[in-house]
Amino acid sequence: MVKELIPPLQAYKNREIKRHELYKELTGIKGVFVPELGNTTLKRIAPFKEEYFPVAQIVPSIDIVHNRYVIEIMRGCTRGCRFCQGGFTYRPTRLRMPEEIIELAKKGIQLTGYEDIGFLAFTSSDYPYLIETIKWIRKELQDTFVSLPSLPIDAIEENMLKELRHLRRFSITLAPEVVTEKLRKVINKNVPLELIYRSIELAERYKYPHVKLYFMIGVPEEEEEDIHALIDFLKDIEKKFRRLRFKAAISPFVPRPHTPFQWVGQEPPERSLEKIRQIKDAFRKSKRMQITYHNPYMSFLEGIFGRGDEKLAQVLEIAYRNGAIFDSRKEFFDFSKYEKAFYASGIDPYKYTRKRSLEESLPWEVINTEIFKPFLLKEYKKSLKMVMTPDCMKEKCTGCGVWFREGYELCRKGIRKDKEYQIELEEKKPADYYRYLLTYAFGEKFRFLSQRDIARIIIHILRKSGLRLRYSEGFVPRPHISLPNPLPLGFESDEELLYFETIEKLNRDKILQVLNKNSPGGLVFKKIEEVFNKPDWTKYSKSIVEFDIFRIPDIKGIQTNLENATIKGNKISFVFDFGKGGILKALQNATGLDKDSVRKLHFRKKRIVVKD
Ligand code: SF4
């Protein structure tokens, strides 16, 4: 779509067309809505083509959430949970076949050097080839680990759990949402409580330490007894599964557009807060059941803006001018700023969270998601009668409308295994390994990265360069690397060391060239030598280190306090004993400056002389 947007935007920028002509052209592109023209637009359904896949993914210099190579294995979910917007708007279901996943993984790991691959899907446990694909990755990319950061499994199968034990950073996440049979039928969550109990039992048997559970409060037809049932359920699992720790996350229900619940009213935040307090109070003394919750006032705003219209733009602007910014960070969120904005713009927020009549036209209907409105209405009415609708991918099509227009393949045949994959894994034998000491340097670009972040970047470069690092065994395998004491942030260095082990002997003639070619620049690999023992870093911390201080505004103020200093231009070189206290303290002594002034100087570590 971006490619289609570029020509009209370019023409407008080059003043070849006027603004109204631009808008007109944009409305001709499928998936674009221009409020000024009041057009309606049809959702785009992108096929799962390999050429659309971003193979060369960005590798961040610092650690971030989801710091891994990401492959979307399946898009869409047809379980039909009536509260879930994604479940309706991402239809139809699309699958990526294991062969393609393996090809993408190989290319991606070669380009990025990532150690982990994250599989993305709404419910990865619904992906029919999950176990085979994980095994295949383990076979093809031995030192690469699949991670399913959270796996919303409703019913864990034992063989799946056994296999998933090989994954890194994997924790069991269960999303019962509600615990009573009545509410299960209302929201169409087809996971009986017995299955949740069984999944928890398996988690305990396979020694998973934590289980995370997700629940909603305030769903349509909820009554006081449903909250009591939720508390009873949590108490029961806490009592029955004594080796596990639990985290129960409670979220107030928000009716979403394009779902069967788009017409229902939303519970006021005060009421949600009362329920949350009631649940929290029941576990105040508990050590193994932690209750967390989503701020009901945030849910209230989500409900308002989610089912809002263009009039709310002024509320947003006023709230922003009142200082509402970074609201998703708890410490910044201040509901009173929005309250004032609603008041100032004369808008009643409850108008947006009220129950909608079935006849009124809804603001979000300008976007056609290809789901028939009569289908959503039928689902809504079924929820009131507590009648469930089966998963159309496992049973028959329930006529949501997507197939009607697209003639989509999976809608015709459902999700089932069309192919069998026999992946045999060879047993890992302890291999010989080789020890290396790498000398590297880094400059301005890297001086504010921690030693840990730089080490992670180096691991990526080593892997990208085809080195087979030696990994530890166990639940979270890590490469065998080690480093000396770190430099403080802000320092450059001409000589840093990193020890690592490989399971293949290196060709040292070429390796430096390859490493430097794969370096992002600013990080230079200078020397690599085979060693026969792991270095004794304590020796290095007692060594003599030569430093340069450069870009000093008042060089004269410093030079008199330095011993063994040589002055050249705006640079002073000096040597001091690393062993006497921390580096900053030593530099303070050497320069005669106070702590703050020392921190403002620009240092470069030149050389380490190891003392015997
Ligand atoms: S058209 Fe039928 S099979 Fe396809 S997503 Fe809709 S209900 Fe499911």
Side-chain angles (χ1 to χ4, degrees):
M1 178 164 154
V2 174
K3 277 190 189 158
E4 290 171 49
L5 288 173
I6 291 171
L9 287 172
Q10 211 163 30
Y12 175 67
K13 209 159 177 251
N14 296 339
R15 303 200 173 153
E16 289 155 22
I17 55 170
K18 299 242 171 349
R19 185 181 279 247
H20 70 273
E21 290 169 311
L22 167 72
Y23 287 164
K24 205 148 180 256
E25 284 210 30
L26 290 178
T27 54
I29 299 173
K30 191 176 171 188
V32 176
F33 167 59
V34 182
E36 270 86 345
L37 300 191
N39 67 316
T40 56
T41 192
L42 197 62
K43 177 185 81 170
R44 287 172 88 105
I45 299 176
F48 243 28
K49 281 193 193 161
E50 199 176 330
E51 57 264 36
Y52 294 165
F53 187 82
V55 184
Q57 293 176 16
I58 293 170
V59 183
S61 312
I62 53 168
D63 201 9
I64 57 159
V65 187
H66 305 305
N67 197 356
R68 58 181 76 95
Y69 192 78
V70 177
I71 301 180
E72 194 184 10
I73 56 172
M74 187 166 91
R75 189 174 298 167
C77 168
T78 46
R79 290 183 172 209
C81 302
R82 292 180 180 127
F83 57 87
C84 176
Q85 190 180 44
F88 292 93
T89 56
Y90 280 91
R91 290 183 185 210
T93 302
R94 283 145 281 175
L95 285 186
R96 210 182 282 289
M97 289 303 281
E99 297 82 348
E100 196 185 322
I101 295 174
I102 301 300
E103 273 316 299
L104 292 172
K106 280 195 208 162
K107 280 188 208 157
I109 296 303
Q110 215 236 319
L111 280 166
T112 60
Y114 266 122
E115 294 174 285
D116 291 80
I117 297 177
F119 281 174
L120 271 195
F122 270 129
T123 33
S124 25
S125 54
D126 280 355
Y127 179 67
Y129 307 103
L130 184 68
I131 301 296
E132 294 90 321
T133 315
I134 291 171
K135 273 189 171 176
W136 202 350
I137 295 243
R138 284 177 61 207
K139 187 179 167 106
E140 294 282 334
L141 296 155
Q142 287 102 339
D143 314 325
T144 304
F145 309 93
V146 175
S147 71
L148 300 164
S150 90
L151 185 63
I153 328 174
D154 298 319
I156 308 173
E157 286 170 25
E158 192 157 357
N159 68 340
M160 184 187 272
L161 206 56
K162 255 190 214 163
E163 199 51 47
L164 296 180
R165 289 271 298 152
H166 297 288
L167 305 188
R168 293 223 285 188
R169 290 169 214 149
F170 167 64
S171 65
I172 304 266
T173 310
L174 302 165
E177 308 294 356
V178 292
V179 297
T180 54
E181 183 68 9
K182 175 192 86 185
L183 291 187
R184 253 181 4 86
K185 287 183 176 161
V186 171
I187 65 169
N188 200 40
K189 185 94 194 180
N190 194 9
V191 185
L193 218 49
E194 304 82 69
L195 279 180
I196 299 286
Y197 272 104
R198 166 145 173 80
S199 303
I200 299 174
E201 186 201 318
L202 284 172
E204 189 176 58
R205 192 177 332 144
Y206 283 90
K207 298 193 171 53
Y208 283 85
H210 302 108
V211 170
K212 190 163 181 184
L213 298 134
Y214 290 99
F215 296 99
M216 280 191 306
I217 51 167
V219 297
E221 309 303 314
E222 183 190 86
E223 292 166 301
E224 189 60 38
E225 63 193 38
D226 296 300
I227 300 297
H228 290 151
L230 170 59
I231 294 172
D232 291 346
F233 166 74
L234 293 176
K235 285 204 180 277
D236 195 41
I237 56 170
E238 192 191 18
K239 197 167 124 209
K240 279 203 174 103
F241 305 102
R242 294 192 172 274
R243 287 207 299 271
L244 286 172
R245 298 179 89 84
F246 296 96
K247 200 183 233 186
I250 316 283
S251 298
F253 162 71
V254 178
R256 308 276 178 192
H258 304 293
T259 68
F261 287 152
Q262 62 182 356
W263 291 280
V264 308
Q266 184 175 348
E267 182 172 83
E270 298 76 17
R271 179 69 191 115
S272 302
L273 206 55
E274 276 171 28
K275 291 178 185 172
I276 289 167
R277 287 204 182 113
Q278 191 182 347
I279 300 166
K280 273 187 89 70
D281 281 349
F283 295 93
R284 206 154 285 289
K285 291 196 183 131
S286 169
K287 288 207 171 69
R288 289 188 300 111
M289 179 66 71
Q290 189 194 351
I291 309 287
T292 61
Y293 64 94
H294 189 65
N295 187 333
Y297 290 91
M298 181 60 96
S299 303
F300 185 53
L301 288 181
E302 286 166 18
I304 294 165
F305 288 102
R307 292 195 297 165
D309 54 23
E310 67 278 6
K311 291 190 199 90
L312 289 174
Q314 52 181 319
V315 178
L316 266 189
E317 190 180 344
I318 298 171
Y320 165 70
R321 295 199 187 285
N322 286 345
I325 192 164
F326 301 133
D327 288 331
S328 56
R329 298 269 304 265
K330 270 187 203 156
E331 64 274 34
F332 287 105
F333 179 57
D334 178 358
F335 180 67
S336 69
K337 293 197 166 87
Y338 285 91
E339 261 183 323
K340 283 179 198 149
F342 278 113
Y343 185 75
S345 49
I347 289 178
D348 174 11
Y350 290 93
K351 186 180 148 227
Y352 291 93
T353 54
R354 79 196 145 89
K355 183 177 174 181
R356 311 285 168 112
S357 100
L358 298 180
E359 286 75 41
E360 74 181 272
S361 78
L362 304 166
W364 50 93
E365 282 171 351
V366 292
I367 296 165
N368 182 349
T369 63
E370 305 214 349
I371 304 286
F372 288 147
K373 191 170 177 182
F375 172 78
L376 293 180
L377 194 56
K378 193 167 120 200
E379 280 298 297
Y380 174 43
K381 289 184 175 162
K382 279 170 94 175
S383 83
L384 297 176
K385 290 187 194 144
M386 293 167 204
V387 177
M388 296 188 88
T389 303
D391 181 342
C392 61
M393 284 291 133
K394 301 205 176 105
E395 297 185 26
K396 65 178 194 328
C397 170
T398 47
C400 77
V402 178
W403 186 16
F404 178 75
R405 283 188 218 254
E406 288 288 321
Y408 195 71
E409 188 199 0
L410 285 186
C411 292
R412 188 169 41 79
K413 58 178 189 164
I415 290 190
R416 59 181 59 89
K417 274 190 184 178
D418 290 332
K419 259 174 128 175
E420 284 302 325
Y421 295 88
Q422 292 302 335
I423 315 288
E424 295 304 328
L425 291 174
E426 283 168 25
E427 205 160 309
K428 257 190 170 179
K429 292 186 194 114
D432 284 344
Y433 64 93
Y434 307 89
R435 300 175 164 109
Y436 295 96
L437 193 62
L438 177 68
T439 307
Y440 63 97
F442 59 85
E444 176 70 28
K445 265 201 209 164
F446 281 75
R447 72 187 183 102
F448 289 109
L449 292 185
S450 70
Q451 189 196 38
R452 203 166 152 248
D453 287 328
I454 295 178
R456 190 181 307 106
I457 295 170
I458 294 176
I459 291 169
H460 283 178
I461 297 171
L462 296 175
R463 288 172 53 86
K464 246 177 104 165
S465 308
L467 269 70
R468 298 277 319 274
L469 295 177
R470 180 170 171 249
Y471 279 82
S472 62
E473 299 290 327
F475 199 50
V476 184
R478 304 235 182 253
H480 285 276
I481 63 160
S482 75
L483 307 121
N485 279 346
L487 275 181
L489 279 193
F491 280 52
E492 296 180 20
S493 180
D494 281 349
E495 189 169 302
E496 287 299 305
L497 299 167
L498 179 133
Y499 165 82
F500 66 92
E501 294 172 3
T502 62
I503 54 169
E504 281 171 5
K505 204 168 172 71
L506 302 185
N507 176 348
R508 283 196 289 131
D509 296 340
K510 288 199 191 130
I511 193 67
L512 273 186
Q513 211 183 339
V514 179
L515 292 182
N516 281 315
K517 195 171 145 246
N518 285 326
S519 163
L523 182 68
V524 181
F525 298 101
K526 298 171 90 172
K527 197 165 80 179
I528 195 158
E529 54 191 315
E530 189 168 356
V531 290
F532 296 98
N533 290 307
K534 210 169 161 178
D536 172 7
W537 295 124
T538 53
K539 255 203 224 163
Y540 285 80
S541 58
K542 287 194 195 106
S543 56
I544 292 176
V545 184
E546 194 181 313
F547 278 96
D548 276 353
I549 315 176
F550 55 105
R551 292 188 216 151
I552 305 165
D554 180 14
I555 205 160
K556 288 193 190 79
I558 297 168
Q559 66 188 65
T560 50
N561 296 314
L562 289 172
E563 289 169 23
N564 309 324
T566 56
I567 305 165
K568 205 173 172 192
N570 68 344
K571 191 177 86 177
I572 305 174
S573 298
F574 69 98
V575 175
F576 80 95
D577 196 331
F578 207 151
K580 293 175 189 159
I583 293 181
L584 280 175
K585 184 84 193 144
L587 291 173
Q588 224 179 299
N589 292 339
T591 57
L593 294 173
D594 62 26
K595 208 159 111 194
D596 287 345
S597 310
V598 164
R599 281 197 175 277
K600 282 182 199 144
L601 297 177
H602 196 134
F603 289 103
R604 182 188 289 144
K605 182 172 147 194
K606 296 294 291 176
R607 202 164 60 93
I608 309 168
V609 184
V610 180
K611 285 199 302 189
D612 286 324

